[in-house]
Amino acid sequence: MTEETGPDQELIANVFARGCSSRAAFETVTGRWASLVLLALADGPHRFGELRRRVEGVSEKMLSQALHGLEREGLLVRTDHGTLPPRVDYALTELGADIAGRLRALADLLEGAVPELDAARAAYARD
Amino acid sequence: MTEETGPDQELIANVFARGCSSRAAFETVTGRWASLVLLALADGPHRFGELRRRVEGVSEKMLSQALHGLEREGLLVRTDHGTLPPRVDYALTELGADIAGRLRALADLLEGAVPELDAARAAYARD
């Protein structure tokens, strides 16, 4: 929720409600690139170039936008080691890691359902 | 995976791989409107108008596209009862319901993290 309300008014977070912070966060973490970045960072901190190679198809611009969005929501921390050549790491916060865990559970399910998904798509194309 | 490979070649589904069916499905189910439609259908079949009211902010066109995408992946079934006035229901398949369950786990986490998300956003805006 983003508005202050009186103590007599119940505050129930609701991902369906346009004004709720949980809806904004849900849109960020399920974003096309942000979701894959969260999955990639689930196994530890990575540098920009590593993320770019891991998340197939992402452009520099899109990766940069996804990282900023996740930083704004407090889901990752950017660490500049102040060295030359520059070295910058991206690591999940505790909340970021929890979210990445839930996304991993979803990805595991889909990776295990590939034969079923392919069959459904083929059946749909035939009709 | 979408290509046929020989029996000596291992087929490992990978959501990071552009050619993998699991990646396409991951993009569909995390889509801005499709994800909320899956969550809305998690508690039972709904009609088009009910979904439109539940998922705040969705347009007719966007809802229609999301429903088609989910039907193509075999995650929901559209039932036209053939009555007058027409009555059409949308219901999740077993795989659709499993996926909706994982998305619900993600949404629960975010709904519970609203104070933390709001604090992170406020801190980011101050910097």
Side-chain angles (χ1 to χ4, degrees):
Chain A
M1 303 289 164
T2 51
E3 284 174 280
E4 287 287 323
T5 52
D8 54 338
Q9 220 174 320
E10 242 185 305
L11 272 176
I12 300 173
N14 175 10
V15 86
F16 291 112
R18 269 185 290 182
C20 186
S21 301
S22 68
R23 163 92 169 245
F26 188 79
E27 285 181 6
T28 299
V29 306
T30 57
R32 180 168 185 166
W33 300 115
S35 56
L36 294 173
V37 168
L38 284 164
L39 286 176
L41 290 173
D43 55 12
H46 285 290
R47 297 164 73 170
F48 192 90
E50 292 167 345
L51 288 171
R52 233 198 120 186
R53 280 188 296 278
R54 186 90 192 275
V55 178
E56 281 188 18
V58 73
S59 68
E60 272 195 31
K61 189 182 161 196
M62 291 294 111
L63 179 53
S64 183
Q65 277 182 10
L67 290 166
H68 273 108
L70 293 170
E71 197 183 353
R72 190 174 55 240
E73 304 278 340
L75 307 184
L76 67 75
V77 175
R78 182 182 182 281
T79 306
D80 187 336
H81 295 276
T83 53
L84 266 176
R87 187 177 161 178
V88 181
D89 278 329
Y90 298 89
L92 296 180
T93 60
E94 204 181 317
L95 181 56
D98 285 348
I99 290 166
R102 309 275 165 125
L103 285 170
R104 187 66 255 171
L106 175 62
D108 284 345
L109 180 64
L110 293 169
E111 287 174 353
V114 162
E116 206 175 332
L117 291 164
D118 284 348
R121 219 172 283 134
Y124 190 88
R126 268 198 307 276
D127 288 345
Chain B
M1 305 287 165
T2 49
E3 283 174 281
E4 286 286 322
T5 52
D8 55 337
Q9 219 174 321
E10 242 185 303
L11 272 176
I12 301 175
N14 175 10
V15 86
F16 291 112
R18 268 185 291 183
C20 186
S21 300
S22 68
R23 162 95 168 242
F26 188 78
E27 286 181 5
T28 298
V29 306
T30 57
R32 180 169 185 165
W33 301 115
S35 55
L36 294 174
V37 168
L38 284 163
L39 286 176
L41 290 174
D43 54 12
H46 285 291
R47 297 164 74 169
F48 191 91
E50 292 167 345
L51 288 171
R52 233 198 120 185
R53 281 187 295 278
R54 186 92 192 271
V55 178
E56 282 188 17
V58 72
S59 68
E60 272 195 31
K61 189 183 162 193
M62 291 295 112
L63 179 54
S64 183
Q65 277 183 9
L67 290 167
H68 273 108
L70 293 170
E71 196 183 353
R72 190 174 54 240
E73 304 278 341
L75 306 184
L76 67 74
V77 175
R78 181 183 183 280
T79 306
D80 187 336
H81 294 277
T83 52
L84 266 176
R87 189 179 160 177
V88 180
D89 279 328
Y90 297 89
L92 297 180
T93 61
E94 204 181 318
L95 180 57
D98 284 349
I99 291 166
R102 309 275 164 125
L103 286 170
R104 188 65 256 171
L106 175 62
D108 284 345
L109 179 63
L110 294 169
E111 288 174 353
V114 162
E116 207 175 331
L117 291 164
D118 285 347
R121 219 173 284 135
Y124 190 89
R126 269 197 307 275
D127 288 345

